[in-house]
Amino acid sequence: VLSLIVVSDVLCVTVIQGQDDWGVTYSSTEICALKASTVEISCTYTYPSRVDGRDTEVNETVWFIKLSGNQPVYLRTDSDYQDRVEYSCSEKSCTLRITDLRESDSAEYQFKFITNQPGGSYTGSPGVTLRVTDLQVKVTKLPSSPPELNCHSSCRLPDRSSYIWYNNGQKIQSQTSSTYTVNFNSADSHSCAVEGHEDFPSPPVCVSDRPCERVIYTDRSICALKGSSVDISCTYSSYQTIESKFWFSPERSHQWQSPSQPEDLSEDSQFRGRVQVLETERGRSTLRITDLTESDSAQYHFKFTTQFYEWNSSLPATTLTVTALQVQVTRITVHQSDTEAELKCHSSCSPAGRLSYVWFKNRQKVTGVETSSFKGRVYPGDIISCALKGHENYSSPPVCEFDPLYQEKTHIHTG
């Protein structure tokens, strides 16, 4: 069954896959979303209330994608989606929420529900195609006319999207369309964003072939482990000779002599002895912070000045989130002779890339387990901790909640 729905002049296609009262309806079949933003993918589903005299109950709902080899990847247990995925499900509807979108998240997402009926599982296929894009300013130089700038994305954003343009990092109030014809100064840089998504602008571009005033951050957001080190980098250029440059954090403005005048982070007492600025090549600066603490979570900006100009951008810089690993006890099952525990290695954010985990039981490495989940038999007195592979020195605090008496006091589930 195929139906077309027009809402605010945006065409939405609703597809129902189903037979004999079994079905899944997705609210959209194609979604274009901005890199680093958040997306919600929703569906409703139906099933017969009774089959062969047995009432139907839904036991499990899952979202998944398929990679090469056609094997399903279940989002809640995949390390690429660690701490970025949430389900919000009620009776016969379910919404998948993915935060901090990456280009690698571009895929077809399918919903599956499993019931108590024999063979009573159903998958909505085909699913929802998600395309993740970033914005780019494309410059078209016209003969005898000012250059035309276009705020470009690799997939089609909603037709009624309103755009924001920036000149040298400062918002241009009068421009709201995806194209912009500019009478430019060759020293100026230009960038764009979609209204409502100002935290995810394009990198600034130079309209001319000469260097212009701009700063481009390598990463929009970084997740790092407490106690480790991090490198925050940018490239920069100027039409004029740069006389001074430094890194700062707006969250530290209460320490500045004047709240409107940023001060060098390396002079801040919170960072003394932990900050180093590296310039391995011309036009690239790297801020290295060591021995990270959770209070270092903040946004970090780069600033430069010339004889006649000061880079003072309102564009977002790099946001650092410092996290500590924690072992969460998700389930305890008490048997006659021992106890079975299901544990999860949790963090408030997820470092980029496919993650492998290391589990320790009584300070000894557990072999054969490299996922964020651990399931095994435990005994009173056992202590278990976890770490990211390659970062074993920054492991979680150990847990030792496996004494049946402790479970009774803290109401941990037993079965």
Side-chain angles (χ1 to χ4, degrees):
V1 179
L2 175 66
S3 62
L4 299 183
I5 303 172
V6 178
V7 181
S8 301
D9 296 332
V10 178
L11 186 65
C12 299
V13 180
T14 299
V15 175
I16 303 173
Q17 299 88 8
Q19 57 187 13
D20 301 329
D21 297 322
W22 296 86
V24 173
T25 306
Y26 296 107
S27 57
S28 301
T29 56
E30 293 191 1
I31 297 175
C32 177
L34 292 173
K35 183 179 177 182
S37 68
T38 295
V39 71
E40 291 187 349
I41 304 174
S42 299
C43 73
T44 58
Y45 56 98
T46 58
Y47 52 87
S49 59
R50 195 173 177 83
V51 177
D52 294 334
R54 174 193 283 186
D55 291 340
T56 304
E57 296 176 3
V58 176
N59 295 331
E60 188 177 3
T61 55
V62 294
W63 290 88
F64 66 94
I65 60 173
K66 288 186 177 179
L67 296 180
S68 57
N70 215 32
Q71 292 298 312
V73 175
Y74 295 101
L75 305 186
R76 271 183 167 164
T77 57
D78 186 69
S79 61
D80 276 359
Y81 293 88
Q82 175 83 21
D83 301 312
R84 297 193 298 123
V85 163
E86 293 178 14
Y87 288 10
S88 178
C89 300
S90 56
E91 186 177 2
K92 295 189 176 183
S93 69
C94 196
T95 296
L96 166 68
R97 188 171 190 262
I98 310 173
T99 60
D100 190 22
L101 283 170
R102 304 164 183 174
E103 289 179 82
S104 59
D105 294 333
S106 296
E108 181 185 326
Y109 291 78
Q110 298 183 47
F111 174 79
K112 177 181 181 180
F113 64 95
I114 302 166
T115 73
N116 61 334
Q117 302 289 0
S121 66
Y122 193 86
T123 299
S125 181
V128 177
T129 299
L130 171 66
R131 293 183 174 89
V132 180
T133 182
D134 56 3
L135 296 177
Q136 300 285 337
V137 174
K138 300 228 169 162
V139 181
T140 302
K141 295 183 179 179
L142 305 170
S144 306
S145 299
E148 182 181 89
L149 309 182
N150 178 260
C151 194
H152 174 78
S153 57
S154 61
C155 56
R156 185 176 177 178
L157 295 165
D159 291 338
R160 289 293 184 90
S161 295
S162 185
Y163 291 79
I164 299 169
W165 287 91
Y166 300 87
N167 180 68
N168 295 333
Q170 298 300 316
K171 184 176 178 179
I172 302 171
Q173 298 294 338
S174 59
Q175 298 297 326
T176 59
S177 69
S178 62
T179 58
Y180 170 36
T181 301
V182 54
N183 290 307
F184 71 98
N185 182 325
S186 59
D188 292 345
S189 65
H190 296 271
S191 55
C192 65
V194 175
E195 189 172 24
H197 299 277
E198 290 87 346
D199 287 342
F200 315 110
S202 72
V205 300
C206 305
V207 176
S208 72
D209 296 327
R210 303 182 62 179
C212 66
E213 317 291 355
R214 65 174 174 175
V215 173
I216 301 175
Y217 296 95
T218 306
D219 298 293
R220 190 63 48 79
S221 62
I222 297 176
C223 175
L225 291 175
K226 180 180 178 181
S228 67
S229 299
V230 69
D231 284 354
I232 302 172
S233 299
C234 72
T235 57
Y236 61 92
S237 66
S238 176
Y239 191 76
Q240 306 168 58
T241 301
I242 294 175
E243 296 183 345
S244 67
K245 52 188 182 289
F246 61 86
W247 288 85
F248 70 95
S249 173
E251 283 84 350
R252 301 295 295 168
S253 61
H254 62 281
Q255 298 283 352
W256 303 342
Q257 291 186 4
S258 169
S260 62
Q261 289 297 317
E263 295 182 9
D264 191 338
L265 201 69
S266 60
E267 305 293 328
D268 192 311
S269 59
Q270 177 179 312
F271 295 91
R272 189 163 295 141
R274 298 193 298 123
V275 161
Q276 187 180 4
V277 177
L278 310 172
E279 292 231 9
T280 54
E281 59 184 274
R282 183 180 176 87
R284 173 176 287 276
S285 181
T286 298
L287 171 69
R288 177 170 294 170
I289 310 174
T290 60
D291 194 21
L292 287 168
T293 67
E294 287 170 285
S295 61
D296 294 333
S297 297
Q299 194 166 120
Y300 292 85
H301 292 249
F302 180 82
K303 180 177 180 176
F304 66 81
T305 57
T306 70
Q307 184 178 357
F308 302 107
Y309 179 78
E310 177 179 273
W311 177 261
N312 188 25
S313 171
S314 61
L315 293 169
T318 296
T319 299
L320 171 66
T321 303
V322 181
T323 184
L325 296 178
Q326 289 185 328
V327 174
Q328 293 181 337
V329 181
T330 57
R331 185 180 177 88
I332 292 286
T333 306
V334 178
H335 302 287
Q336 190 169 3
S337 59
D338 57 26
T339 300
E340 186 178 65
E342 294 179 28
L343 312 174
K344 180 179 174 63
C345 193
H346 174 76
S347 59
S348 61
C349 62
S350 179
R354 185 168 285 275
L355 304 178
S356 294
Y357 291 79
V358 180
W359 286 90
F360 299 94
K361 184 176 181 181
N362 299 327
R363 298 184 176 84
Q364 298 298 311
K365 183 178 176 181
V366 178
T367 58
V369 182
E370 292 192 351
T371 65
S372 62
S373 298
F374 171 87
K375 182 177 181 179
R377 301 204 178 281
V378 293
Y379 300 89
D382 281 349
I383 58 172
I384 295 182
S385 60
C386 66
L388 286 174
K389 193 172 185 178
H391 300 275
E392 287 83 352
N393 290 337
Y394 311 112
S395 63
S396 71
V399 295
C400 48
E401 303 171 356
F402 311 120
D403 189 313
L405 180 62
Y406 179 93
Q407 295 158 22
E408 290 174 12
K409 289 179 179 177
T410 53
H411 306 288
I412 294 177
H413 176 80
T414 63

